[in-house]
Amino acid sequence: MHSLHVKLSDEPELSAVCSALLLAFIENSRVLRYCSGGGDYTNTQNDFGDHQLEMDVQCELNVNTELKKTGFVSHTASEETPEMKLLSEGGKYIVTFDPLDGSSIIGTNFAVGTIVAIWKSDDKLLIGKKGRDMVSACCCLYGSRTNVVFWNEKEQKVQEYTLFDGDKQGHWELTKDNIKIKPKGKLFSPGNTRCIADHIPYREVVDYWIHNGYTLRYSGGMAPDICQIFLKEVGVFSCFGDAKNPSKLRYLYECAPLSFLTEKAEGKSFNGKHSVLDTEITGYQQKSEIIVGSADEIEFFKSVWKKHGLLKE
């Protein structure tokens, strides 16, 4: 490990936005460490109908506060507030984020995270764009340590940084450089398994993993379950559904940024039809199915979908 001043882009405005996010993550880490209160709920619900934790609201505020200070972010939208919020007139970027992914498991002291996507600002506020139009993305985890997986646009690689907060302000150190996801890896995290009683293709894939010696590593939080793929450099995370038990994952705030990071690290993503990053953005409450991780494992998943007539190439 070596201490450094984190610079994630040679473009000054983008670098400032990334630095603002790192500052917000430091504050989020402190809020979650000392003020979680066991996961107390507010009396409000977000637009998806989920009860909001006090920490969800505070983490969203921390991110928006730091981004607004830069003057370079025109709008933000989050899972808690899935609509475009004006931050700075003429800002060059739009940021979409999930301020506290995994809030349902925070009461048991499991790791939770913040997932972020950075986009170039435009007149249509992302409508009609695709995930591949993203400029950068990151995922910060708050657990026994605070770490962030970030796309370093300057060096063109996925990296992990860890927060060291022994000093008053805290600083980030590079702890894993140039993350590359291996094509094969027997580690799986299957989300929404309640649907496999009726979803035959998904059940076939999960059965294959179980009967072929794959290791189950599933916490119930998307951020930690996908970040383990970056740190172990193998494995898959999946979440598919049916009419009775649909996938509830959000495209702009969860699936798109994590797929961006995965594909930048030489993994693959798939939503049942194509790469998650080839999805056209149609709204701010858009949902998505997803499998991400080791490339060969994604290809096997696609072969099952094709066998059952769900994928036509």
Side-chain angles (χ1 to χ4, degrees):
M1 299 186 301
H2 57 281
S3 182
L4 49 81
H5 174 69
V6 180
K7 186 175 182 182
L8 295 160
S9 174
D10 279 331
E11 199 275 311
E13 291 93 340
L14 180 57
S15 181
V17 171
C18 294
S19 295
L21 289 169
L22 292 174
L23 287 172
F25 299 156
I26 292 173
E27 188 58 31
N28 286 354
S29 178
R30 291 170 178 164
V31 166
L32 294 170
R33 181 175 300 170
Y34 301 115
C35 306
S36 68
D40 293 334
Y41 286 95
T42 66
N43 292 320
T44 62
Q45 290 182 319
N46 62 21
D47 285 9
F48 294 104
D50 299 329
H51 283 284
Q52 292 177 298
L53 288 167
E54 292 173 359
M55 291 81 72
D56 294 60
V57 176
Q58 186 59 53
C59 288
E60 179 184 29
L61 177 62
N62 291 341
V63 173
N64 278 325
T65 297
E66 294 299 333
L67 291 176
K68 185 174 178 61
K69 289 177 184 177
T70 69
F72 300 136
V73 176
S74 66
H75 296 79
T76 63
S78 81
E79 184 176 4
E80 301 306 320
T81 311
E83 58 188 35
M84 285 294 165
K85 173 184 173 127
L86 178 65
L87 283 194
S88 301
E89 291 281 0
K92 191 172 180 179
Y93 297 100
I94 291 172
V95 175
T96 60
F97 64 103
D98 183 351
L100 191 57
D101 178 78
S103 55
S104 63
I105 59 175
I106 197 171
T108 54
N109 206 26
F110 283 17
V112 294
T114 301
I115 306 169
V116 181
I118 305 172
W119 316 74
K120 283 283 184 71
S121 188
D122 67 349
D123 293 339
K124 295 184 179 179
L125 300 180
L126 302 186
I127 301 301
K129 285 195 172 184
K130 295 183 178 181
R132 295 196 186 282
D133 295 317
M134 206 178 307
V135 175
S136 189
C138 63
C139 182
C140 184
L141 285 187
Y142 315 103
S144 57
R145 65 190 176 106
T146 296
N147 66 314
V148 61
V149 176
F150 224 123
W151 168 244
N152 188 322
E153 191 268 343
K154 177 178 183 289
E155 298 187 20
Q156 294 288 294
K157 52 190 176 183
V158 178
Q159 299 173 317
E160 181 211 33
Y161 296 88
T162 297
L163 175 64
F164 290 82
D165 56 0
D167 55 20
K168 189 171 182 180
Q169 290 168 352
H171 66 280
W172 297 90
E173 294 185 2
L174 179 65
T175 45
K176 193 172 180 65
D177 191 23
N178 201 19
I179 296 169
K180 302 288 188 184
I181 299 172
K182 298 177 180 65
K184 295 179 180 290
K186 291 191 171 184
L187 183 154
F188 73 111
S189 300
N192 201 28
T193 53
R194 70 188 68 178
C195 81
I196 66 174
D198 300 314
H199 197 311
I200 304 304
Y202 195 24
R203 184 169 73 202
E204 182 175 326
V205 173
V206 174
D207 282 346
Y208 176 86
W209 290 334
I210 292 171
H211 291 107
N212 284 273
Y214 284 56
T215 300
L216 175 64
R217 288 287 184 268
Y218 180 71
S219 72
M222 186 181 189
D225 289 344
I226 290 184
C227 278
Q228 74 176 330
I229 298 172
F230 296 119
L231 302 184
K232 293 179 181 293
E233 298 188 338
V234 295
V236 291
F237 170 90
S238 62
C239 188
F240 283 76
D242 57 16
K244 185 178 178 182
N245 295 290
S247 173
K248 297 180 180 180
L249 297 178
R250 285 68 167 184
Y251 185 72
L252 280 172
Y253 319 115
E254 299 169 310
C255 295
L258 289 171
S259 295
F260 178 91
L261 287 168
T262 299
E263 295 200 14
K264 290 295 187 183
E266 299 187 353
K268 286 189 175 182
S269 70
F270 180 61
N271 67 357
K273 298 179 180 178
H274 44 65
S275 164
V276 173
L277 297 182
D278 289 329
T279 300
E280 183 175 314
I281 299 168
T282 58
Y284 307 126
Q285 301 193 36
Q286 189 171 351
K287 297 179 182 178
S288 178
E289 297 183 312
I290 186 173
I291 181 169
V292 291
S294 295
D296 289 356
E297 307 298 336
I298 305 303
E299 289 303 313
F300 166 73
F301 192 97
K302 290 167 68 174
S303 73
V304 174
W305 248 235
K306 190 172 183 180
K307 182 178 81 171
H308 287 272
L310 299 176
L311 176 63
K312 297 178 173 58
E313 295 181 319

